[in-house]
Amino acid sequence: MSGDGSAAAREEVIESMERSAEVYGLSRSAGRVYGVLYFAAEPLSIPELVEETGYAKSTISNVTRRLTRIGLIRRRSSGGGGRRVRFEPETDLWFVVRDVLQQHVAREMGSTRRTLDRSLSRVDDGDTATRAHIEDLATTYDEFETLLELAMDHSVEELIDAIEAYERD
């Protein structure tokens, strides 16, 4: 692949990251910054990210703060005792997914499960339809929690191996 072809391929992937970022509730600029860092040969500073992306310094500062908070990028100090902070991507995206599942999804599911339990205790004895709906939802949440625990406790490879072994049996 020629240099121009490589640059086009890189840009195509970064544009895809921009679109994906929106699906996950992030800005397109967050997707672009992550993509630029992903392809960078070394960690980049805010001024370097401004130059690479064309975004304003304030945008880069906000985006790097958000991406750092959710674990998609990490802050690194400059070598040689410099004070300039540099950023590098987390390339193990399964680590990021598990972290998000643990920090956000598990918390929400636990909260909903507690609400369902509380609601079951309030349902009138004769209202079997409402009780059945809440119990069905609680069962679904129990299954989701089991899947969530499996996802958080195992690597992608382990999960794929388990599914493939199940499909063979």
Side-chain angles (χ1 to χ4, degrees):
M1 185 180 287
S2 71
D4 288 344
S6 293
R10 175 182 172 229
E11 182 58 27
E12 185 176 11
V13 172
I14 291 172
E15 287 173 0
S16 176
M17 290 176 171
E18 284 180 319
R19 291 186 301 275
S20 293
E22 287 184 311
V23 171
Y24 296 107
L26 297 169
S27 63
R28 288 182 69 94
S29 56
R32 175 155 290 275
V33 167
Y34 179 82
V36 166
L37 288 169
Y38 186 84
F39 282 102
E42 59 187 21
L44 300 177
S45 66
I46 287 179
E48 290 167 329
L49 284 167
V50 167
E51 184 177 322
E52 284 285 324
T53 63
Y55 295 135
K57 183 179 177 184
S58 60
T59 299
I60 296 296
S61 293
N62 290 332
V63 166
T64 55
R65 190 171 21 261
R66 176 93 194 269
L67 292 176
T68 300
R69 188 171 43 250
I70 63 175
L72 275 170
I73 65 174
R74 294 183 298 270
R75 294 171 55 103
R76 293 288 178 243
S77 297
S78 295
R83 293 183 53 214
R84 179 167 282 169
V85 173
R86 297 183 177 278
F87 298 91
E88 67 182 3
E90 173 58 65
T91 57
D92 181 357
L93 294 182
W94 185 243
F95 171 81
V96 175
V97 167
R98 286 191 326 199
D99 190 52
V100 167
L101 289 174
Q102 189 171 14
Q103 288 186 35
H104 303 288
V105 177
R107 186 176 4 172
E108 166 56 25
M109 289 179 67
S111 174
T112 299
R113 191 61 174 94
R114 287 187 297 279
T115 299
L116 294 171
D117 290 342
R118 242 187 346 268
S119 297
L120 274 174
S121 70
R122 292 180 169 158
V123 174
D124 295 333
D125 289 337
D127 191 351
T128 57
T130 298
R131 179 172 299 283
H133 283 308
I134 295 172
E135 287 173 344
D136 287 346
L137 196 52
T139 298
T140 300
Y141 266 80
D142 288 343
E143 292 167 346
F144 286 162
E145 285 179 326
T146 299
L147 287 173
L148 185 62
E149 288 172 13
L150 288 169
M152 290 187 310
D153 292 342
H154 298 285
S155 69
V156 172
E157 295 81 13
E158 290 170 329
L159 293 170
I160 290 171
D161 288 346
I163 291 168
E164 288 175 348
Y166 176 79
E167 288 175 347
R168 283 192 299 270
D169 293 341

